[in-house]
Amino acid sequence: MSLIACHECDLLQQRISLPAKSKAQCGRCGAVLYRNIPNSIDRTVALSIAGLVLFICANVFPFLAFEVSGQSVQATLLSGAVALYKQGMWEVAGLVIFTCVAAPLAQILLMLYIFVPLKFNRLPYATAKAFRLLREMQNWNMIEVFMVGILVALVKLTKMAVIVPGLAMWSFMGLIIVLTAGASAIDPELVWNRFGFKKEQPGND
Amino acid sequence: MTRLPGSIENVSAMQAGLVGCHSCDLLSKIKGNDHQMLQCPRCGASLHSRKTNSIARTWALVIAAFIFYVPAMVLPITNVSSLGVSQSDTIMSGVVLFIQTGSWEIALVIFVASIIVPMMKLFILVYLLISVQQKSDKRMRDRAKLYRLTEFVGRWSMVDIYVVTILIALVNLGVIADIDAGPAAFYFAAVVIVTIFAARMFDPRLIWDEMND
Ligand SMILES: [Zn+2]
Ligand SMILES: [Zn+2]
């Protein structure tokens, strides 16, 4: 039997083993403390490979085509940020690139970096730091908010011109689903239990 | 969903002389005084029983966010020039424009994301800070839920920034109009980022410390 402290209210509780596909909640404040995720590593690896393919499509192909008086104009995910940068708004441009391009890419690469070796029973170099960075990148990845921004912009522009959603738009929607599923496929316990400190945990004796 | 049985004596890790690792959940014994920097023996993360100076730092960030909020609302977020006529829109006048053109759903999305969410988040943090400073022992579960809400909704305030980015990308490439981002885009982005850090700086465990005393 081991103990766990709630990370939101610090209450000490006894860990119990969970049935598959369920999560343990703090008995006092209701925070989710840990989960039992079946096939966690396989699913994480599969979803991050799918995520990488979708990410490339979302950035290479135009996400919106804009037709006005016979002319067609295409925009990619990055061209908006570049336009902001050219107007002197480099801070805002940087924030858009960080939250919609850099953070999702880092999230995908870190998932591959940690979980591909883990699938072959190995721990990659600096796993703990990589895992903390992965958590951080998950917080800063805001592609689902960007998607809502695209929808709002569409409504605003359909009054002026014909807007055709491009291939990248569909890839982008896929990427949102895959990365959300990927984040919830990760079982941190699988990583930390390989560090071999379990026996020294207070309350374990 | 399984609710853990909890501890019978309602003892926090800190009272038991333990500290839980925020990264890997391993419990370690607190050695010496509380403020001593400790490292998690399993994953190497630095251990804190409570976040350092949480209340003062959160206050500072909340006040900074309120200050940035003023230019974000007053200054224009977009400057549109079309056929020699130019028009500046603030976040609020953009919302009004959407209502006038009949897109009230979009007006609602922008109004909630840009005005309701950041204000709600900041006032919740103010309430949490004051209630902790007054050592309130009431409605702890509700306050814990409010804190979780602030962490969840904050990111949605970015919507308007993204709308401006996409409009600039598309419209400037076309020929109908020119759109420039106004200074409010910068201040509004600052509000969003500063409030995200404010919510992180707040330590929700402080809410429950009164119960444990
Ligand atoms: Zn709790
Ligand atoms: Zn740790």
Side-chain angles (χ1 to χ4, degrees):
Chain A
M1 190 89 71
S2 70
L3 294 173
I4 184 169
C6 173
H7 49 88
E8 282 190 27
C9 77
D10 212 28
L11 182 71
L12 273 181
Q13 288 156 90
Q14 278 172 350
R15 271 175 192 271
I16 50 174
S17 54
L18 292 175
K21 289 183 185 177
S22 64
K23 53 188 177 184
Q25 275 189 306
C26 172
R28 180 162 77 175
C29 77
V32 176
L33 299 185
Y34 55 97
R35 298 163 196 273
N36 178 345
I37 305 164
N39 304 321
S40 167
I41 293 178
D42 285 341
R43 277 174 54 207
T44 308
V45 170
L47 287 165
S48 41
I49 292 169
L52 192 60
V53 174
L54 289 167
F55 178 86
I56 293 167
C57 294
N59 281 280
V60 170
F61 297 108
F63 71 89
L64 286 175
F66 184 68
E67 280 169 29
V68 57
S69 46
Q71 272 182 289
S72 175
V73 179
Q74 294 178 330
T76 64
L77 195 56
L78 277 168
S79 62
V82 171
L84 269 175
Y85 177 76
K86 281 183 185 157
Q87 294 182 1
M89 300 282 246
W90 62 269
E91 304 96 338
V92 185
L95 184 63
V96 171
I97 290 181
F98 178 58
T99 53
C100 297
V101 183
L105 178 62
Q107 186 183 341
I108 295 165
L109 295 179
L110 286 164
M111 276 161 74
L112 289 170
Y113 176 77
I114 297 166
F115 290 95
V116 172
L118 222 56
K119 182 158 171 47
F120 300 103
N121 263 321
R122 293 211 175 88
L123 275 180
Y125 175 73
T127 310
K129 280 189 183 133
F131 196 80
R132 278 194 282 278
L133 191 60
L134 170 61
R135 284 285 186 241
E136 191 74 11
M137 290 302 122
Q138 282 172 352
N139 286 332
W140 287 105
N141 166 6
M142 300 191 185
I143 55 176
E144 77 282 15
V145 184
F146 190 81
M147 191 70 225
V148 175
I150 291 176
L151 297 177
V152 172
L154 270 181
V155 172
K156 197 158 181 162
L157 289 172
T158 41
K159 297 200 168 101
M160 300 190 217
V162 181
I163 306 284
V164 187
L167 183 59
M169 181 103 115
W170 309 116
S171 316
F172 205 69
M173 285 185 189
L175 185 61
I176 293 168
I177 296 167
V178 163
L179 285 189
T180 311
S184 57
I186 295 171
D187 185 353
E189 310 261 300
L190 288 178
V191 177
W192 304 125
N193 286 346
R194 297 200 188 221
F195 279 61
F197 262 89
K198 259 211 136 177
K199 289 199 179 77
E200 291 188 18
Q201 209 164 348
N204 249 11
D205 26 53
Chain B
M1 227 182 287
T2 309
R3 200 164 272 277
L4 291 181
S7 63
I8 307 132
E9 313 94 31
N10 253 345
V11 179
S12 74
M14 189 159 76
Q15 286 171 311
L18 299 170
V19 53
C21 173
H22 66 90
S23 186
C24 77
D25 279 339
L26 183 81
L27 284 167
S28 305
K29 289 194 175 74
I30 301 173
K31 295 176 194 109
N33 73 55
D34 185 20
H35 300 288
Q36 201 178 337
M37 278 287 280
L38 285 168
Q39 269 201 325
C40 173
R42 177 157 71 175
C43 75
S46 54
L47 299 173
H48 310 273
S49 267
R50 299 293 176 265
K51 290 175 194 167
T52 318
N53 248 332
S54 166
I55 292 182
R57 288 180 181 176
T58 312
W59 265 122
L61 290 168
V62 165
I63 291 165
F66 273 117
I67 293 170
F68 283 133
Y69 193 76
V70 177
M73 286 298 122
V74 174
L75 297 174
I77 190 151
T78 51
N79 298 306
V80 184
S81 53
S82 169
L83 308 166
V85 185
S86 76
Q87 189 196 348
S88 290
D89 274 310
T90 62
I91 291 176
M92 201 58 220
S93 73
V95 170
V96 173
L97 204 68
F98 271 122
I99 296 171
Q100 283 168 348
T101 52
S103 320
W104 65 268
E105 310 91 334
I106 300 295
L108 193 68
V109 169
I110 299 292
F111 183 71
V112 170
S114 305
I115 293 167
I116 304 277
V117 167
M119 274 295 119
M120 191 184 73
K121 202 175 160 179
L122 287 172
F123 281 115
I124 288 176
L125 285 173
V126 167
Y127 166 64
L128 292 175
L129 284 166
I130 291 173
S131 68
V132 165
Q133 282 179 312
Q134 292 187 333
K135 304 191 181 304
S136 160
D137 57 357
K138 294 185 189 77
R139 308 179 71 90
M140 288 167 165
R141 255 191 102 90
D142 290 339
R143 283 189 280 149
K145 278 184 192 158
L146 279 178
Y147 178 69
R148 247 167 265 151
L149 182 72
T150 64
E151 284 197 308
F152 172 75
V153 298
R155 57 204 290 110
W156 291 97
S157 304
M158 284 293 286
V159 164
D160 217 20
I161 298 285
Y162 293 144
V163 173
V164 172
T165 308
I166 297 158
L167 288 180
I168 288 173
L170 284 173
V171 177
N172 284 2
L173 296 168
V175 282
I176 5 163
D178 267 333
I179 297 189
D180 284 341
F186 171 79
Y187 289 108
F188 192 75
V191 171
V192 178
I193 299 304
V194 171
T195 29
I196 286 175
F197 279 110
R200 272 191 190 196
M201 212 52 97
F202 183 77
D203 194 332
R205 291 171 291 193
L206 296 173
I207 297 171
W208 301 88
D209 280 347
E210 287 316 305
M211 192 178 202
N212 297 330
D213 283 346

PDB file of all heavy atoms in Angstrom, chain B residues 28 47 115 173 205:
ATOM      1  N   SER B  28       8.244  12.578  -0.512  1.00  0.00           N
ATOM      2  CA  SER B  28       9.554  12.625   0.151  1.00  0.00           C
ATOM      3  C   SER B  28       9.373  13.241   1.525  1.00  0.00           C
ATOM      4  O   SER B  28       8.448  14.013   1.741  1.00  0.00           O
ATOM      5  CB  SER B  28      10.534  13.482  -0.645  1.00  0.00           C
ATOM      6  OG  SER B  28      10.623  13.039  -1.966  1.00  0.00           O
ATOM      7  N   LEU B  47      11.231  20.365  -5.220  1.00  0.00           N
ATOM      8  CA  LEU B  47      10.056  20.107  -4.391  1.00  0.00           C
ATOM      9  C   LEU B  47       9.691  21.341  -3.572  1.00  0.00           C
ATOM     10  O   LEU B  47      10.567  21.994  -3.012  1.00  0.00           O
ATOM     11  CB  LEU B  47      10.347  18.940  -3.437  1.00  0.00           C
ATOM     12  CG  LEU B  47      10.692  17.595  -4.071  1.00  0.00           C
ATOM     13  CD1 LEU B  47      11.111  16.602  -3.007  1.00  0.00           C
ATOM     14  CD2 LEU B  47       9.503  17.065  -4.856  1.00  0.00           C
ATOM     15  N   ILE B 115     -14.113  39.282 -23.438  1.00  0.00           N
ATOM     16  CA  ILE B 115     -14.505  40.182 -22.356  1.00  0.00           C
ATOM     17  C   ILE B 115     -14.910  39.411 -21.104  1.00  0.00           C
ATOM     18  O   ILE B 115     -14.374  39.643 -20.024  1.00  0.00           O
ATOM     19  CB  ILE B 115     -15.603  41.147 -22.849  1.00  0.00           C
ATOM     20  CG1 ILE B 115     -14.961  42.063 -23.905  1.00  0.00           C
ATOM     21  CG2 ILE B 115     -16.163  41.972 -21.686  1.00  0.00           C
ATOM     22  CD1 ILE B 115     -15.903  42.871 -24.718  1.00  0.00           C
ATOM     23  N   LEU B 173      -3.778  39.787 -48.779  1.00  0.00           N
ATOM     24  CA  LEU B 173      -3.360  39.135 -50.016  1.00  0.00           C
ATOM     25  C   LEU B 173      -4.353  39.430 -51.127  1.00  0.00           C
ATOM     26  O   LEU B 173      -4.033  39.387 -52.296  1.00  0.00           O
ATOM     27  CB  LEU B 173      -3.252  37.624 -49.798  1.00  0.00           C
ATOM     28  CG  LEU B 173      -2.193  37.180 -48.789  1.00  0.00           C
ATOM     29  CD1 LEU B 173      -2.369  35.712 -48.447  1.00  0.00           C
ATOM     30  CD2 LEU B 173      -0.801  37.423 -49.341  1.00  0.00           C
ATOM     31  N   ARG B 205      -3.497  24.622  -2.900  1.00  0.00           N
ATOM     32  CA  ARG B 205      -3.402  23.924  -1.612  1.00  0.00           C
ATOM     33  C   ARG B 205      -3.600  24.881  -0.444  1.00  0.00           C
ATOM     34  O   ARG B 205      -3.975  24.478   0.648  1.00  0.00           O
ATOM     35  CB  ARG B 205      -2.048  23.217  -1.510  1.00  0.00           C
ATOM     36  CG  ARG B 205      -1.943  22.057  -2.483  1.00  0.00           C
ATOM     37  CD  ARG B 205      -0.559  21.489  -2.539  1.00  0.00           C
ATOM     38  NE  ARG B 205       0.392  22.412  -3.150  1.00  0.00           N
ATOM     39  CZ  ARG B 205       1.615  22.059  -3.551  1.00  0.00           C
ATOM     40  NH1 ARG B 205       2.025  20.819  -3.392  1.00  0.00           N
ATOM     41  NH2 ARG B 205       2.426  22.942  -4.093  1.00  0.00           N
TER      42      ARG B 205
END
